[in-house]
Amino acid sequence: MTHTHRDHSPNTKLLQPVTGATTFGYGQHGADRGLAVGTGTGDFDYQPDIELKDGDIVTGNGWTLEAVHTPGHASNHLCYALKEENVLFSGDQVMGWSTTVVSEPDGHMGDYIGSLEKLLARSEERYWPNHGTCIEDPQTYVGALIAHRRDREKQIERCLQKGLDNIEDLVSEMYKGLDPRLHNGACRAVHSHLIHMIETNRAACNGAPSPEALYSLPG
Ligand SMILES: [Zn+2]
């Protein structure tokens, strides 16, 4: 299991009685981020039979999987490297159809970018994501994902410089012509970026960095 979002881990409850399979995963939803049951939208019911840490190996008849801890999209997200084929099951960390969602409180932008850098240093030749098509030349693709996030943060810096101080105004400026259905997702992404920028002293906030708070460049 890659992670505990509701479009992933709940299926184990349906498959396990039919297959009798042992389930493997990092652990419970949000545990690394100190989330209590009921906060956020993850699947808090999921508990793997066997908990895996970064670098753990699971083997079967003719296959070897290495767990690669890649927090950011979800704090318990694992990618799995299939050694025999030198490919990576990249879960939702690297998708084939769009950039991934990074939403607080379980998501974390600094972790997400760090996980992309971790994947960039690996040598798998192909990724099989949970959503979208197979990704060839994944190092180039992952490099572009990192550059995209850095560009977004430069955009936020320019907006803060201009005096825009709240997430709604930042999103209006940064995502011109955005489909209204994507507005909430854009707000969550900008919020995650701002938290990461505060942590790295590139932004400041008038109190706790909530979605409603006022943001600025650091003093
Ligand atoms: Zn997910």
Side-chain angles (χ1 to χ4, degrees):
M1 179 52 51
T2 56
H3 66 301
T4 48
H5 285 157
R6 292 191 175 279
D7 54 335
H8 297 280
S9 50
N11 273 344
T12 57
K13 277 196 176 156
L14 302 174
L15 289 170
Q16 199 167 25
V18 180
T19 62
T22 304
T23 61
F24 294 80
Y26 185 80
Q28 282 201 304
H29 183 78
D32 277 9
R33 300 274 287 160
L35 297 190
V37 172
T39 57
T41 55
D43 170 19
F44 282 90
D45 295 334
Y46 175 74
Q47 173 60 48
D49 297 327
I50 311 268
E51 292 192 354
L52 297 173
K53 297 185 305 296
D54 184 54
D56 281 353
I57 301 286
V58 183
T59 57
N61 187 8
W63 55 265
T64 311
L65 285 177
E66 176 194 351
V68 185
H69 188 212
T70 42
H73 170 72
S75 58
N76 63 3
H77 192 286
L78 292 175
C79 297
Y80 294 95
L82 178 60
K83 296 298 192 182
E84 285 75 8
E85 296 186 17
N86 198 26
V87 300
L88 187 82
F89 297 107
S90 59
D92 284 3
Q93 170 69 20
V94 180
M95 296 189 188
W97 66 5
S98 69
T99 57
T100 200
V101 174
V102 179
S103 181
E104 295 279 334
D106 188 46
H108 185 270
M109 191 59 73
D111 286 352
Y112 170 72
I113 294 170
S115 291
L116 288 177
E117 285 168 343
K118 181 178 186 173
L119 294 184
L120 197 58
R122 297 180 62 92
S123 61
E124 283 83 17
E125 292 165 358
R126 183 174 297 138
Y127 286 5
W128 293 100
N130 281 346
H131 303 277
T133 58
C134 161
I135 298 162
E136 309 281 356
D137 192 11
Q139 272 68 29
T140 302
Y141 192 85
V142 168
L145 292 178
I146 295 170
H148 170 68
R149 297 298 179 162
R150 298 226 162 104
D151 283 350
R152 281 282 185 232
E153 295 190 344
K154 283 193 198 113
Q155 248 185 315
I156 291 173
E157 261 175 43
R158 287 197 294 274
C159 288
L160 295 176
Q161 220 155 22
K162 280 202 243 172
L164 301 178
D165 63 0
N166 65 81
I167 290 174
E168 286 289 332
D169 287 353
L170 287 168
V171 167
S172 301
E173 175 75 12
M174 292 168 62
Y175 296 80
K176 290 209 163 82
L178 181 70
D179 182 332
R181 287 171 296 180
L182 302 176
H183 180 80
N184 283 344
C187 287
R188 287 203 300 275
V190 168
H191 183 223
S192 295
H193 275 301
L194 283 163
I195 288 173
H196 177 50
M197 290 169 73
I198 289 170
E199 289 166 350
T200 49
N201 201 29
R202 291 173 293 145
C205 182
N206 68 334
S210 69
E212 300 78 27
L214 298 179
Y215 295 87
S216 61
L217 289 175

